[in-house]
Every structure is written in C-alpha cells, then in structure tokens.
Amino acid sequence: MSASESAQSLIEKPVDDLSREEAVLELERLAGELKTHDEAYHTNDAPIISDAEYDALKRRNEALEQRFPDLVREDSASNRVGGELAEGFGKITHSVPMLSLDNAFSDDDLREFLGRVRRFLRYDPLMGDLAVTAEPKIDGLSLALRYENGKLVHAATRGDGTTGENVTANARTIADIPQTLPAGVPEIVEVRGEVYMAHADFEALNARMQANGGKVFANPRNAAAGSLRQLNAEITKSRPLKFFAYAWGEISDLPANTQMGMVETFQTWGFKINSLMKRCVSAEELLEVYHRIEEDRASLGYDIDGVVYKVDDLELQRRLGFISRSPRWAIAHKFPAEKAFTILREIEIQVGRTGALTPVAKLEPVTVGGVVVSNATLHNEDYIKGIGPKGEALRGGKDIRVGDTVVIQRAGDVIPQVLDVDLNRRPEDSTPFMFPDHCPACGSNADREVNPKTGRSDAVRRCSGGLICPAQAVEKLKHFVSRNAFDIEGLGAKQVEMFFEFDMDKGGVRTPSDIFTLRERDSSSLTKLRSREGWGAVSARKLFDAIDTRRFIDLNRFIYALGIRHVGEGNAKLLARAYGSWEAFYEAMKAAGDPTSEAYRDLNDIDGIGATVAEALSQFFGEEHNIAELDRLLEQVTPKDVVVEDTSGSPVAGKTLVFTGSLERLSRDEAKSQAEALGAKVSGSVSKKTDMVIAGPGAGSKLKKAQELGIEVISEDDWFKLTGAD
Ligand code: IVH
C-alpha cells in the first residue's frame, strides 16, 4: 500500500478500529483540516465543504479524543475554537469610557478651539502660555490594554465606547505590545493607542491573500481591523500589525502631569510612540506642525487622517472634562477630503426606512484616497437640479445629468459625495434628470411636505406608502439589526433582504418581532433554513443562537433600534437615562401622544430633547400598528433597566441647580460640567423644581425668585466647599 493509500484508508476507518499510532496521525490530520475549514468559513467567508461534512469531521475528532484523551492536541479544534467560535468575542466594559474626538476642518477651527479652552478655564494670558501637543491622527483602530501588576490582563477594542470586544489573545501576538511592563509601574495601568498596518505590510499581505485566492482588503485600516478581529489568534499572529500608544484609561497612579510626560513614560515602558508628537505654545506653532505633517503624509509609511491637538497639562484636562462623547481638551484637525473626477453612469433612487427617496450616483469606479468608490450620494432632488438648501442656485444652477463627469469627494468614514460637475465634458445628447414623484419600490405617491412654519417644501421627497412599502420595511429591519442597535451576528443587511423575500410560513421576516420567532417557526416548518442554499445545520443554529443572545438588550439600544424619526443613538441614550426603564418610557410615550399632557411636557423638558424629537415620538407611539408590533416584540425581547452611575456620596446627586450672577473662579460652563459630573442637573431658570441656587455677585431676578420660593441659596465659595473642590 502506498503512503497516500494508507492515509486514505485511515480516513475511512471507524474510530473504534484505529490503533493508537493511527489515532495520532488521524488527530493531526483532523487538526489541520478543521483549521483550514475554520479559516475558510470565518476569515474568508468562503467555506470549502458543506456544514454537514464539517460537522462529520468535528464529530470524528471528538470521538477520537474521547477514546484517547491523552492524545488531545493543543491545536485541536475542540481546544482552539468550540465555544469561542459560536459566541464570537466576549465583551469588556471599559472602566473609563473610550471617547471620540471632535473635529476641526480649518485653521480657524483650531483657533476657535483654543479660544473655547481658554474661556472655559478662564485662562488669563498672564498665567503664561497654554501648552498644547500636536501629533498625527493614526488611521487604524483604537485598542485598550489593561495591565495589572505589570502584566497584560486584557485587551479590548473601542466598540461603542462603553463596551468593546475582548481581543486579548490577538493583542498578545502583536510585537509592539509588551506582555509585561517594567518593575515599578502603577498597579493598574490601561494604555490606549492605535493598531494599524504600515503601507508596505499592507501591500505584501494583499499580494499574499490574492495569491491564495482569497479576498483582498480595500485599505490598511480595514486590513488592521479585519486582522485584529480574528477569532483565531493564529491568523492575527500572521498579520503584520503595529501599535502606537497615545492615551490611557484607568490608571492607579499618574506617572506624569502632562500629556507629553505620560506618552514619554509609555515609551520607557516599552511602547512605541509617535516621533512626530510635539508640544507647542501657540496656534501658529500648532499649525506649523499640522502643515508639516500634512506635507510629509505620503512618506510616513502608514495612513493618517489628520493631526490631534491635546491640552498638555493634565490638571487642565481634568477641569475641562468631556462634552457628550468627546473631551473638551482635545480636537482632531482633519486633512482636507480627497477628490477625484469620474463619470456618472446612473442615478438610482433608494428608499430609506422613513420613506425618504435618496438619489445615489452610480459611478465609473475610481480610486479616491486609496479606496475604490463606485457609489456616492447626490443628497436630494434640489441638489441634482442645482438648488441649495436655502433655495439659492448652486454653482450657477447647473443640473447634474447621467453621463456627466463629476467631482467626488471622500472624507474619512463618511459616504462619498458628488461635489460638482464639469460642464465642459457634458455629452451633447444628455437630458436633465427627472426625479420620480412616485416611490420606485411600491408605486405610492412621493411628496415633499411643506413646512407650515417656513412655507418652504422639505428637501426630501417621501414615499407615502408607509406599511405597504417593502423598501421601507426592509430598511427598518436593516436598521433594527445594525451595529448600534440589536447587532445580531450573522444577520446583516444581506441576510435581512433574504429573509424578507421568504414566505412567512417558510421562515420569512417582515417585522422585527419575526426575527425572534425564527427558531420556533423553523422547527415546525417544512422548509428549514439549514436546507436552503448557502446554509447548513451549523450556520442556521449559530444564527438562532446569536438571535437568542439579544433577547436581553440595553434600553438605549432598544429605543434606537425602533427607528423612530429623529431618534438617533444620542437621543436614545438621553431618553433611556431620563426614564430608566422600558416600562416608564413606554407609559410616558403613550401618554405623550396628547401634546397637552404632563408626559409631553416632561419629555420636552429633557435636556437635549427638543420639540421635533418630542413630536416624532408622540407620533410614533400614537400609531396603533406601532404599538401592536411593539407588544409582539416585547413578548420576545426584554430591554434592561439603565444602571445609574454611582454618584452616591455626592451632596448634589439628583438635585436641580441654577447658577446665577458672575462666578469668579469658574466659567459658567465649567461650573455646569462640575455639577453634572456630581450627578446634578443644571437648569437655566429657577422654578419650584429647583433645589439650590449658586449665586455670584450681580445676581438679580433669579436670586429674587429663589428667595421668594424659599430655595437654598449659596455662594461660589460655598459651592467649592460643598463639592470638596477646595
Ligand atoms: S486621542 C479621548 N490620539 O481617533 C480621546 N486618538 O476620533 C482619545 N486616533 O478613537 C483619543 N490617532 O482611534 C487620539 N494620536 C491620537 C489618535 C487618535 C488616532 C483615533 C482613535 C479615536 C479616534 C477619535
């Protein structure tokens, strides 16, 4: 028997008939095979064998391991993957949230930033220069590395800023990331920075992947993200990832008192830091660094998309604090967007989840800033006609036509857009584009609402089909499962479209609640998901499991997922925090359908929620079919109560405060942010609901009103004593 013949006979031999020696060989083969298939399935999204065949291999491996437990290999599929594969990455809640940065787009934006910082801090020129650092904004993905007693204990991606993915095993394979820190470092240290891929490494990786018949990555950022988020750390290890340290999260003891000092300390601990970082003391100096980095951009060897400025003094950083999701002490100065010329092949009208008809430019593919672009937004009907948002003629009122040569722009993560049209290159036979007045998906009328206040018609044309419009329904579902909403693994836009096409008795999905009855319906259906093309027993089960993991969900995600007009992520968070539980929110919203109710007034009073949002909510909850679907959904899904941050010990937690008069040691903004950090609400006017007024010199009517109402009034000094800031 030849070697290959004997190998073949091994494969076919029942597990019980294998000798110990044969089992060793067979376990080795199975480890290799399963690894290949895991990689094909998870990494390349291109399985080589059917799920049934895969299951058979896995079962054989397990049976062999059961017979010879001492022969279980370290790289066995049962060790390596198992639960990990089914569940994806574990989640890690950041002990200090990972924030994002506000953007500046011009030199003036930077000057304004510096002005804001100075005003907030009441930073007197006599106090000397305000030091600010400048450094490249690396175009990768941020990573938090937690060290306890000098040992790397976990690594987490940014995720939604509050919770990220546990990618510890993968981070350990990156050479730039130390596994241990030198003696003497603080007990708890969380170093943050950017994982990225250098240009040369990116090119080589893509060449390798292409040679193996695999997919290629569109740009180094995607390659870095795709490589870090591998379920199999071995794959991450084979990818050339790098890391720059530039920030920190929780730290038990600050080793320096400036931004620069911190980053330099990281370097002494073994981290790579960016050598272009510089400490400056004026706008001019900062802009010089910005323009120099911009000039050198192409020769750095890695992608950057701007320059980040940070107030150097950490005490000032602490005082400046945060505004919603970004620090007041830092800003990202973005490089101008990249532009390119290409031909407009077609204008497609897409229907969004709220029925908005959006024109999308189908372009002759063109590379802009390293990414191939073939779609771009054309904004709206007026934009195509050449009319601006205020009714003004755009660039001489040029209309954009199919066949035109257009300028497109791509900036960062935003959707590429059509900026301009080159009239000199317009084909002679071109005709103006006729924007449809009927929905291309359902044929209903599509109208532009007239705003009763301004008398102007809305820029957006909307399909009036509502529930009968399939395009709206599909888009609502896509939104429901999207990353910041239900985020169901394996149920993306493509799958939603597929399930939407199926008959309801064959595993169809029309509304969100249908998603959660899929498993049950599948079990009693004659057309099982696992027997559909492209699906198998494993992938079907995985999807049902993934759906089950989302039966309990954060309240803010749940609210956001509903896709109510004007309720984006930020407003959903505000609402979740204000009401605390689904029950409270739901009752209030049903009551708020009446605009004269107290519930409606309370809703309007939430800081950050304006009349437009309140109106949209009351409309949504006023529609019977929405309530019916919600009640179906709530039989399947339970939104979790909001866990309130612990500000116990704070003397003003939960209280409503009013600052009035001039404050001497604090700017009004800083006072407000201090109070909010202590769990208080700050209001602009005194009412019965006010708990305390902090009055400085020159306080007038508000002070008087407080006295009339018998509200406690304290001075600025008292405020400092109360909050322990003195
Ligand atoms: S500082 C509190 N510095 O930009 C702010 N961020 O838009 C902490 N980034 O998520 C971030 N280079 O992934 C900082 N030198 C740099 C950066 C940088 C890239 C990324 C980071 C962050 C995003 C914010």
Side-chain angles (χ1 to χ4, degrees):
M1 220 187 322
S2 75
S4 71
E5 273 166 352
S6 75
Q8 188 57 39
S9 72
L10 261 191
I11 295 175
E12 283 160 8
K13 231 178 181 175
V15 168
D16 285 343
D17 296 347
L18 290 171
S19 70
R20 195 179 162 81
E21 289 69 40
E22 287 172 326
V24 172
L25 291 175
E26 184 61 349
L27 282 167
E28 181 183 9
R29 178 187 75 86
L30 288 166
E33 280 233 6
L34 285 164
K35 185 172 170 207
T36 309
H37 294 308
D38 281 343
E39 215 171 295
Y41 184 92
H42 294 284
T43 316
N44 306 330
D45 284 332
I48 305 163
I49 55 172
S50 71
D51 285 350
E53 286 169 302
Y54 177 88
D55 283 350
L57 283 177
K58 200 129 185 221
R59 270 199 304 276
R60 185 171 170 83
N61 192 48
E62 278 159 20
L64 256 175
E65 288 182 341
Q66 239 171 31
R67 241 194 98 197
F68 301 102
D70 57 325
L71 294 184
V72 174
R73 299 168 57 92
E74 220 170 77
D75 62 348
S76 159
S78 48
N79 269 340
R80 190 163 37 85
V81 281
E84 212 177 298
L85 264 186
E87 288 155 28
F89 293 105
K91 298 273 185 253
I92 289 182
T93 300
H94 300 297
S95 55
V96 176
M98 287 183 87
L99 302 156
S100 54
L101 292 168
D102 199 7
N103 289 324
F105 296 100
S106 66
D107 294 4
D108 277 345
D109 286 353
L110 162 66
R111 292 196 184 90
E112 271 172 34
F113 163 73
L114 295 175
R116 274 200 304 278
V117 166
R118 283 175 174 279
R119 276 196 304 281
F120 187 95
L121 296 170
R122 297 202 147 186
Y123 201 90
D124 202 305
L126 294 176
M127 288 155 79
D129 293 326
L130 177 70
V132 175
T133 61
E135 68 198 281
K137 183 168 191 297
I138 317 296
D139 199 4
L141 65 152
S142 46
L143 186 68
L145 304 166
R146 187 180 173 95
Y147 294 82
E148 288 175 7
N149 299 309
K151 292 205 172 51
L152 178 62
V153 291
H154 72 223
T157 61
R158 178 170 180 275
D160 62 4
T162 311
T163 331
E165 284 176 322
N166 183 345
V167 291
T168 314
N170 303 7
R172 288 191 199 282
T173 69
I174 301 175
D176 285 352
I177 295 178
Q179 300 276 331
T180 53
L181 302 184
V185 301
E187 192 181 322
I188 296 171
V189 170
E190 191 190 309
V191 174
R192 295 178 176 177
E194 201 86 351
V195 173
Y196 67 100
M197 199 178 281
H199 289 155
D201 292 331
F202 166 71
E203 301 293 344
L205 172 66
N206 261 358
R208 205 171 81 206
M209 305 229 326
Q210 195 156 33
N212 293 337
K215 293 192 297 194
V216 295
F217 288 110
N219 54 52
R221 207 204 84 82
N222 287 3
S227 301
L228 185 68
R229 298 182 68 258
Q230 285 292 334
L231 288 164
N232 180 354
E234 282 301 309
I235 301 175
T236 309
K237 193 173 176 178
S238 72
R239 303 280 173 83
L241 293 173
K242 296 196 148 115
F243 180 79
F244 275 130
Y246 56 62
W248 58 97
E250 187 178 347
I251 191 158
S252 52
D253 189 18
L254 280 173
N257 53 20
T258 60
Q259 181 74 29
M260 199 69 178
M262 287 296 288
V263 174
E264 281 166 352
T265 307
F266 294 156
Q267 189 176 33
T268 69
W269 291 352
F271 290 95
K272 297 276 189 317
I273 64 169
N274 195 286
S275 60
L276 301 174
M277 179 170 179
K278 204 171 167 290
R279 182 179 181 275
C280 304
V281 294
S282 68
E284 285 59 46
E285 218 185 323
L286 287 166
L287 289 171
E288 209 181 291
V289 177
Y290 171 85
H291 291 293
R292 206 179 43 242
I293 293 178
E294 187 183 19
E295 266 170 38
D296 294 345
R297 184 176 181 188
S299 56
L300 292 179
Y302 49 86
D303 276 353
I304 63 172
D305 56 353
V307 169
V308 184
Y309 306 119
K310 299 173 186 168
V311 170
D312 194 34
D313 185 324
L314 300 190
E315 170 57 16
L316 298 184
Q317 284 191 6
R318 189 195 61 75
R319 282 178 55 197
L320 284 157
F322 305 90
I323 185 155
S324 78
R325 320 194 78 209
S326 32
R328 275 199 198 83
W329 44 264
I331 198 160
H333 191 169
K334 293 300 211 48
F335 292 136
E338 306 201 43
K339 300 188 175 93
F341 280 99
T342 189
I343 293 169
L344 176 58
R345 289 285 174 224
E346 197 190 324
I347 296 177
E348 190 182 283
I349 304 294
Q350 292 183 352
V351 185
R353 69 184 154 85
T354 57
L357 267 47
T358 331
V360 175
K362 298 280 159 181
L363 306 162
E364 188 64 37
V366 61
T367 307
V368 197
V371 173
V372 178
V373 172
S374 43
N375 295 317
T377 177
L378 276 160
H379 306 286
N380 55 45
E381 183 173 354
D382 285 346
Y383 187 81
I384 297 176
K385 283 188 190 144
I387 305 169
K390 298 196 182 81
E392 78 280 16
L394 285 179
R395 287 173 239 99
K398 296 162 196 167
D399 55 340
I400 298 174
R401 303 180 180 189
V402 171
D404 274 348
T405 297
V406 290
V407 181
I408 62 158
Q409 163 174 296
R410 190 187 74 92
D413 286 343
V414 302
I415 306 167
Q417 43 181 323
V418 172
L419 267 196
D420 206 350
V421 41
D422 181 353
L423 290 181
N424 296 325
R425 290 201 255 173
R426 168 165 291 174
E428 272 177 19
D429 56 355
S430 80
T431 51
F433 178 72
M434 296 297 289
F435 204 95
D437 54 9
H438 284 80
C439 171
C442 71
S444 304
N445 276 333
D447 307 315
R448 296 174 65 164
E449 287 164 25
V450 176
N451 183 326
K453 283 191 201 125
T454 60
R456 253 207 315 265
S457 69
D458 193 4
V460 175
R461 197 176 274 279
R462 263 173 224 286
C463 159
S464 59
L467 282 183
I468 68 142
C469 178
Q472 287 189 45
V474 171
E475 293 308 314
K476 282 199 175 83
L477 283 168
K478 285 184 192 167
H479 172 81
F480 185 84
V481 300
S482 65
R483 200 173 117 85
N484 297 320
F486 268 74
D487 192 21
I488 297 173
E489 189 154 345
L491 190 59
K494 248 186 12 217
Q495 290 77 13
V496 163
E497 280 175 11
M498 180 195 83
F499 282 111
F500 193 83
E501 290 301 317
F502 295 166
D503 289 336
M504 278 314 284
D505 61 347
K506 294 185 177 135
V509 170
R510 302 285 185 278
T511 66
S513 60
D514 296 341
I515 294 171
F516 292 92
T517 55
L518 262 179
R519 188 199 293 267
E520 195 190 316
R521 286 186 288 137
D522 191 72
S523 69
S524 58
S525 165
L526 295 178
T527 320
K528 303 234 185 277
L529 182 59
R530 63 165 185 261
S531 55
R532 287 194 181 267
E533 201 186 318
W535 291 84
V538 177
S539 52
R541 199 186 56 234
K542 268 191 196 154
L543 176 65
F544 298 149
D545 288 349
I547 291 170
D548 282 344
T549 64
R550 294 292 188 266
R551 288 185 189 269
F552 290 88
I553 184 149
D554 291 339
L555 179 57
N556 59 306
R557 278 182 179 260
F558 187 82
I559 295 174
Y560 172 66
L562 299 179
I564 303 165
R565 255 178 99 183
H566 306 295
V567 181
E569 264 188 277
N571 284 336
K573 277 199 177 152
L574 287 177
L575 292 165
R577 231 180 292 144
Y579 292 95
S581 72
W582 169 257
E583 290 71 26
F585 174 69
Y586 198 30
E587 283 314 309
M589 290 309 108
K590 284 197 266 189
D594 170 8
T596 59
S597 64
E598 187 161 346
Y600 188 84
R601 238 174 306 131
D602 285 345
L603 174 60
N604 250 300
D605 279 348
I606 298 173
D607 218 3
I609 299 287
T612 320
V613 180
E615 176 62 26
L617 283 162
S618 97
Q619 211 168 50
F620 180 90
F621 287 94
E623 296 218 26
E624 217 163 291
H625 64 84
N626 287 338
I627 300 294
E629 167 59 13
L630 264 175
D631 290 342
R632 273 194 300 275
L633 184 58
L634 288 160
E635 280 172 25
Q636 306 291 334
V637 174
T638 312
K640 294 189 273 196
D641 290 357
V642 178
V643 186
V644 204
E645 272 170 52
D646 187 13
T647 39
S648 55
S650 155
V652 293
K655 302 229 161 118
T656 301
L657 314 180
V658 174
F659 288 90
T660 181
S662 61
L663 301 176
E664 311 207 302
R665 299 165 60 185
L666 284 174
S667 68
R668 191 64 68 81
D669 282 343
E670 184 170 6
K672 182 165 188 265
S673 94
Q674 252 186 20
E676 282 168 352
L678 290 165
K681 268 202 287 200
V682 178
S683 165
S685 58
V686 175
S687 74
K688 276 187 301 194
K689 287 189 184 164
T690 311
D691 294 298
M692 185 189 285
V693 171
I694 299 93
S701 63
K702 287 184 199 170
L703 175 59
K704 204 166 143 232
K705 181 148 186 212
Q707 284 160 343
E708 279 166 19
L709 291 170
I711 293 164
E712 184 181 1
V713 178
I714 65 169
S715 70
E716 188 183 3
D717 282 344
D718 292 340
W719 168 251
F720 272 96
K721 284 190 203 113
L722 184 69
T723 58
D726 248 351

